[in-house]
Amino acid sequence: MPEKVRVRFAPSPTGSLHIGGARTALFNLLYARHNNGKLILRIEDTDTERSTEESTLQILRSLKWLGLDWDEGPEKGGDFGPYFQSQRLDLYKKEVDGLLAEEKAYYCYCTPEELSQRREEALKAGKPPKYDGCCRKLTPEQRKKFEAEGRKHTIRLKMPEEGQTVVDDLIRGRVVFDNSVLDDLIIVKSNGIPTYNFACVIDDNAMKITHIIRAEEHLSNTPKQVQAYLALGYDIPQFAHVPMILAPDRSKLSKRHGATSVEEFRDQGYMAESIINYLTLLGWSPEGTEEIFDMEKAIKEFTLDRVNKTAAVYDVKKLTWINGHYMREMDLGYVTEQTIPFMIKKGIITEQESKDKFDYIKKIVEVSRDRAKTLDELAHTVAFFFKDVTEYEEKGVRKHFSKENAVKLLTLGADALEKLDHFTHDKTEETFRNITADLGLKAAEIIHPTRLAITGRTIGPGLFDIIVLLGKEKTVERMRKAVKWIGARHQSY
Ligand code: GLU
Ligand code: ZN
């Protein structure tokens, strides 16, 4: 029976979860689910200076918000915990002691200054700037002397000096590294804490990880880790290095390209489902040309051989397009729930109102969601349902309020709507059409100024949908207010 698939996402909590990390987590999850395996979440917090609790919480929050549920790890537990590297130091120590006893590892007393000096000298002499292995053969006396001097030590793993380390990467194929370029790997830092490359190997083995799916930037670490596996006598898992994500200008994606963290996207009004869909296609291609891939469908189709070998280029326009799609197509109640926090944040409604008027808000979202690409934009465009119109879009004023007919039609429209008993879409529309038909005008002549009067804008959902949802009283009131406003404006000319 083939081994049960176990993959892991192993973030370092030194900042928020970025889209690159989220994509790595997603690919791991898709691979795990596709293969009926398990996703393990491990927090790599051995860099005590840069790791923070706040980052850990933020990463967990982002993963949960995206729906990237792990099977074992923080908050979940599991048989292979603890899942924080900072709580696994004893385990690392045991392995270090074993390597030292077997003389596969050794103490290195070189100071950072000495190391950099020797590196420079090597460079000058045209040699590779590699650790020269000078502490490999220290005698017990020499060691004692260094200790007596109060020198600190790191612990290094002896690397083979000849031959090659071959990585059969599931995405990139065979990658060959010359062992001659490998430095004797520091496995324990001078502060006694193991390095990433070492702790990672011990944990991946201890947690029975079968496939290491991670960012391409770690590919250069892989031969070092493979050597650590060999030294420790562990089975080597399969590796799959996912190509980089580049900015549209093909430079490294960074802050200056706009939002990069998952929480920033969330706050800008992107739905988790859209981000997942977008990230699924960022470096992975399905068989067909379809762009809409929800998680369920992605799980069914995801295989590593369809992960691209070349870098993926990040494109916020595509994400926005996908987001618009999900906003239109997803369950109305769900989209409404997602929009409400943005409305509250903008002061359009209160928390209490969001509960009391939920069904009303839902109807508003129903008629408005086609036009918005983000939840934030949607919240912005529905504000007029709750807030009085205090200004009119300037270009609309010029186009629709300056015509002679505007005052006349708005007045006729308000008068007629006021008398209407059945305030429905069809009745209000019929009323407006009758008014313009009687005057030999097109319906647009009344529709445009009315829209501007009751929403303050020139574009938006269907006018009669708005009128009905806004209700007779507010509609009429706003139309009359616009009439006054136009009058006052003309006087002041
Ligand atoms: N802690 C590493 C990182 O955040 C994980 C690398 C790996 O997946 O092996 O990049
Ligand atoms: Zn040394």
Side-chain angles (χ1 to χ4, degrees):
M1 203 182 83
E3 202 176 14
K4 205 154 170 38
V5 165
R6 288 175 61 83
V7 294
R8 87 305 194 266
F9 177 55
S12 303
T14 54
S16 46
L17 184 68
H18 282 130
I19 53 166
R23 187 193 57 169
T24 302
L26 171 65
F27 282 16
N28 274 286
L29 177 125
L30 295 177
Y31 191 75
R33 299 281 172 268
H34 181 88
N35 293 291
N36 272 316
K38 292 256 189 294
L39 172 64
I40 287 86
L41 176 63
R42 180 174 74 228
I43 304 297
E44 303 209 318
D45 55 352
T46 53
D47 185 344
T48 41
E49 257 156 53
R50 292 174 60 226
S51 301
T52 66
E53 165 108 37
E54 166 57 25
S55 292
T56 302
L57 294 175
Q58 197 176 24
I59 291 168
L60 299 186
R61 203 159 61 220
S62 292
L63 289 171
K64 284 187 276 191
W65 179 74
L66 286 170
L68 297 174
D69 274 330
W70 55 99
D71 303 299
E72 291 172 26
E75 297 179 358
K76 289 260 161 83
D79 295 339
F80 301 88
Y83 293 92
F84 287 82
Q85 287 192 324
S86 58
Q87 295 167 21
R88 301 173 64 81
L89 299 177
D90 289 349
L91 180 68
Y92 308 140
K93 182 162 186 323
K94 212 177 105 218
E95 295 294 41
V96 173
D97 290 346
L99 290 172
L100 286 168
E102 289 176 76
E103 294 187 16
K104 289 178 177 168
Y106 61 93
Y107 292 95
C108 168
Y109 292 90
C110 301
T111 64
E113 294 75 32
E114 287 166 345
L115 290 170
S116 70
Q117 195 193 336
R118 267 147 49 202
R119 207 174 297 130
E120 261 163 48
E121 279 164 16
L123 277 173
K124 264 190 218 144
K127 288 186 204 154
K130 205 184 122 165
Y131 176 65
D132 56 11
C134 78
C135 297
R136 270 193 183 207
K137 291 189 187 72
L138 290 182
T139 61
E141 289 70 37
Q142 286 170 312
R143 279 193 50 198
K144 258 193 210 124
K145 189 173 151 265
F146 280 144
E147 296 280 347
E149 283 173 14
R151 279 192 183 231
K152 288 190 173 147
H153 65 255
T154 58
I155 299 177
R156 290 188 186 257
L157 185 69
K158 287 184 190 164
M159 292 294 204
E161 283 157 284
E162 287 162 5
Q164 293 173 324
T165 304
V166 177
V167 178
D168 279 311
D169 191 274
L170 293 173
I171 295 167
R172 309 185 52 99
R174 201 174 176 82
V175 190
V176 179
F177 299 86
D178 265 328
N179 292 340
S180 62
V181 302
L182 300 177
D183 261 328
D184 278 354
L185 180 70
I186 297 181
I187 58 176
V188 180
K189 292 178 272 190
S190 60
N191 63 5
I193 308 267
T195 54
Y196 152 69
N197 274 313
F198 188 62
C200 176
V201 167
I202 293 175
D203 288 343
D204 284 336
N205 177 72
M207 295 178 180
K208 298 203 177 341
I209 302 303
T210 57
H211 298 74
I212 296 181
I213 304 169
R214 64 182 169 199
E216 189 187 88
E217 65 192 33
H218 287 294
L219 184 61
S220 60
N221 286 321
T222 305
K224 304 175 196 170
Q225 295 184 8
V226 166
Q227 288 304 331
Y229 276 96
L230 294 171
L232 289 159
Y234 296 162
D235 287 339
I236 299 172
Q238 300 254 253
F239 290 96
H241 289 91
V242 180
M244 305 229 297
I245 301 176
L246 298 180
D249 62 3
R250 302 207 132 251
S251 64
K252 192 170 185 283
L253 191 62
S254 72
K255 271 259 151 271
R256 74 192 161 88
H257 299 106
T260 50
S261 83
V262 170
E263 293 204 332
E264 279 174 293
F265 283 106
R266 181 198 63 192
D267 295 346
Q268 288 181 5
Y270 291 93
M271 305 217 299
E273 291 78 3
S274 337
I275 297 178
I276 290 294
N277 188 146
Y278 177 69
L279 293 179
T280 298
L281 300 176
L282 197 58
W284 177 78
S285 10
E287 268 180 51
T289 51
E290 216 171 323
E291 303 264 77
I292 296 304
F293 253 82
D294 62 16
M295 185 113 84
E296 203 181 322
K297 198 161 156 203
I299 288 170
K300 271 197 204 108
E301 297 198 20
F302 188 84
T303 54
L304 288 172
D305 59 3
R306 300 200 69 90
V307 174
N308 307 335
K309 287 181 183 57
T310 50
V313 177
Y314 165 77
D315 176 7
V316 73
K317 281 202 220 83
K318 184 163 168 187
L319 171 62
T320 307
W321 175 81
I322 291 175
N323 199 54
H325 171 89
Y326 279 87
M327 284 174 59
R328 284 192 302 279
E329 302 297 327
M330 285 193 86
D331 174 74
L332 180 61
Y334 178 72
V335 176
T336 306
E337 280 164 19
Q338 300 281 307
T339 311
I340 283 171
F342 290 88
M343 295 172 70
I344 294 174
K345 203 168 99 201
K346 288 181 189 299
I348 298 166
I349 50 169
T350 62
E351 181 106 43
Q352 191 55 47
E353 283 169 324
S354 77
K355 295 189 180 107
D356 299 345
K357 298 185 179 169
F358 186 80
D359 288 334
Y360 179 59
I361 300 170
K362 200 160 127 182
K363 285 188 189 133
I364 289 171
V365 168
E366 185 176 21
V367 301
S368 313
R369 64 172 166 175
D370 282 11
R371 288 162 186 277
K373 298 267 191 311
T374 65
L375 299 170
D376 188 69
E377 193 187 326
L378 179 56
H380 174 73
T381 61
V382 302
F384 69 81
F385 282 104
F386 303 90
K387 297 268 170 207
D388 282 340
V389 174
T390 51
E391 39 187 59
Y392 305 106
E393 211 177 274
E394 192 48 46
K395 103 171 176 261
V397 169
R398 265 181 275 123
K399 250 172 116 179
H400 308 305
F401 275 1
S402 61
K403 292 207 185 117
E404 280 164 47
N405 279 338
V407 166
K408 182 167 152 198
L409 288 167
L410 283 169
T411 309
L412 285 172
D415 290 346
L417 290 183
E418 206 158 36
K419 290 195 203 100
L420 210 58
D421 285 331
H422 298 287
F423 208 75
T424 62
H425 181 288
D426 292 353
K427 285 287 172 208
T428 53
E429 176 165 9
E430 191 186 304
T431 306
F432 270 27
R433 289 195 187 279
N434 287 342
I435 291 171
T436 44
D438 286 348
L439 296 167
L441 297 170
K442 287 199 187 114
E445 297 281 328
I446 188 168
I447 287 174
H448 290 311
T450 303
R451 180 192 300 283
L452 188 60
I454 68 179
T455 72
R457 302 201 197 106
T458 52
I459 49 168
L463 180 69
F464 304 104
D465 289 327
I466 302 176
I467 287 184
V468 173
L469 283 170
L470 199 56
K472 187 197 273 189
E473 201 180 313
K474 278 193 189 154
T475 304
V476 170
E477 187 189 296
R478 289 185 191 182
M479 289 172 81
R480 297 214 192 283
K481 191 173 148 193
V483 168
K484 276 199 202 125
W485 188 89
I486 298 169
R489 190 165 148 118
H490 278 283
Q491 263 166 22
S492 67
Y493 279 148

